[in-house]
Amino acid sequence: MDGTVTIVGSGPTGLLLAGDLAAAGVSVTVIEKRPAGISNLTRAFGVHARTMEQLDARGLADALVTIGHKITELRLLGSLAIDLSGLRTRFPYLLTTPQYEVENLLLRRAVEHGATFRHGARVTGVSQDGEGVTVEFTGEDGTAETLRSAYAVGADGTRSAVRESLGLPFPGHSVIKSIVLADVRLTGEPEPTVAVSRSGRSFAFTMPFGDGYWRVGGWDRTHGDTADAEPVDPEELRGILQRVFGTDFGMHDARWVSRFHSDERQVARYRVGRVLLAGDAAHTHSPVGGQGMNTGLQDAANLGWKLAAVINGQEPEGLLDTYHTERHPIGREVIRSSGTMLRFAMAQTPALRGLRTVAAFAVGHLPLANRRLLGTLSGIGLTYGPGVRRVPDVRLQEGRLYEALRAGTFVRVVPRGRVEPGDDRTTVVHWASDRQDTLLVRPDGYTA
């Protein structure tokens, strides 16, 4: 073996996983086709509350908050206001920040814990047997190489070479083409919003980064079949903004522009023997709701501690099957919810527009509907089935629960005054209150 785990892809998903495994003492090599130091200027720009909690459990959240911009209210489809400030979390907001800022924090952590990186390397094949996995790739100089490890994880995006090498279908379909994105400066100050034009033929959104730039994007039926490779004329985006908002907000100084299409796809199995898939390699969906990067990071948080426990001999290999059983339904739910919002935004028929109005009224006036949407968007309300739910950041005699989770172990919370030894797998802490029950929390912040 050249190492214990090979991770293909150093986007946010691969980086968080690499840091978790390296922190647990696992030998990790990350293969990335981008040259070292090249930023990943991609679509992701928002970090939701549950992801912020996962970053907090790694000591990274507060640093990200200082460079991001907090959004406490989202406006979806023009009239629907989503108030995030009531979420029961340290992070009752959407933090807008470029994806590369998230990657920089995660990369630094992975390197500090000893993860190895091979940049400028392209995977050409993956094979496995009962003892391990062989990843074939061409190095930065074009030389063919192989890397042998006990396990491999494909976190290499929608065109995953790992998934294709396994021969796994990626069923689904394209739901929208030619969405235009740009990072620009604006003379005006719009609200963070997703809105639809009066004609229903266009939609657009605006989100601040907090550094003077805004992420703006949109779609119009006139350009609905334009190929991704076609260059983006700023006037195209300016026209969409004017049709939707009645103004382009004085858009100028674009530092990045892109055109992309959106698919809804999900692989049937997240685990095939010793190879696992995470992030966009396992699922892709509409960007409405900003859940893509967040879902991938939460995949990694679920997988990392399980893979480390199996490798370190603390758990049987069957534990890895729970990664698929827990995360696959979450991926399916995100595809469903984000797809529903996209179809509402694109609604053309009177019936669908009427349904959109009813849904907006329900979320705005019915507490149960509001809580469900908030829980899905933020990730706070997502569970892994009966008895396996997110644990909030409760106060302890020793500080906060998510500070205790930074040890990377299970955390057992016991009544004050009880003397109970911990071990290399479990950290014992005490309630700050007079609670008399005992709570066992998994390393990913869910009930055990």
Side-chain angles (χ1 to χ4, degrees), residues 193-275:
T193 186
V194 179
V196 183
S197 66
R198 188 177 297 275
S199 68
R201 296 179 58 84
S202 311
F203 70 81
F205 68 85
T206 59
M207 289 289 170
F209 279 127
D211 62 354
Y213 276 86
W214 288 69
R215 169 65 56 84
V216 297
W219 172 86
D220 186 278
R221 288 188 184 276
T222 305
H223 302 278
D225 292 323
T226 305
D228 291 356
E230 289 294 316
V232 177
D233 184 344
E235 292 305 311
E236 179 185 344
L237 180 56
R238 193 185 306 277
I240 295 173
L241 294 176
Q242 289 173 335
R243 285 188 288 278
V244 173
F245 297 112
T247 175
D248 65 1
F249 302 109
M251 185 183 90
H252 63 284
D253 290 345
R255 66 182 177 186
W256 176 77
V257 294
S258 180
R259 188 191 305 276
F260 75 100
H261 70 280
S262 178
D263 289 354
E264 290 178 347
R265 301 183 185 275
Q266 187 177 31
V267 72
R269 291 183 289 165
Y270 284 14
R271 180 193 180 194
V272 179
R274 292 178 172 270
V275 183

Side-chain angles (χ1 to χ4, degrees), residues 28 34 43 53 66 78 110 118 121 175 184 194 214 217 309 335 379 398:
V28 182
R34 285 178 292 164
R43 304 191 293 270
E53 290 180 341
T66 64
R118 295 293 308 272
V175 290
V184 299
V194 179
W214 288 69
I335 290 171
E398 295 82 358

Side-chain angles (χ1 to χ4, degrees), residues 71-75 80-87 92 370 374:
I71 302 295
T72 56
E73 183 178 88
L74 291 174
R75 287 197 170 271
L80 176 59
I82 304 296
D83 182 8
L84 303 175
S85 64
L87 288 171
N370 186 274
L374 275 176

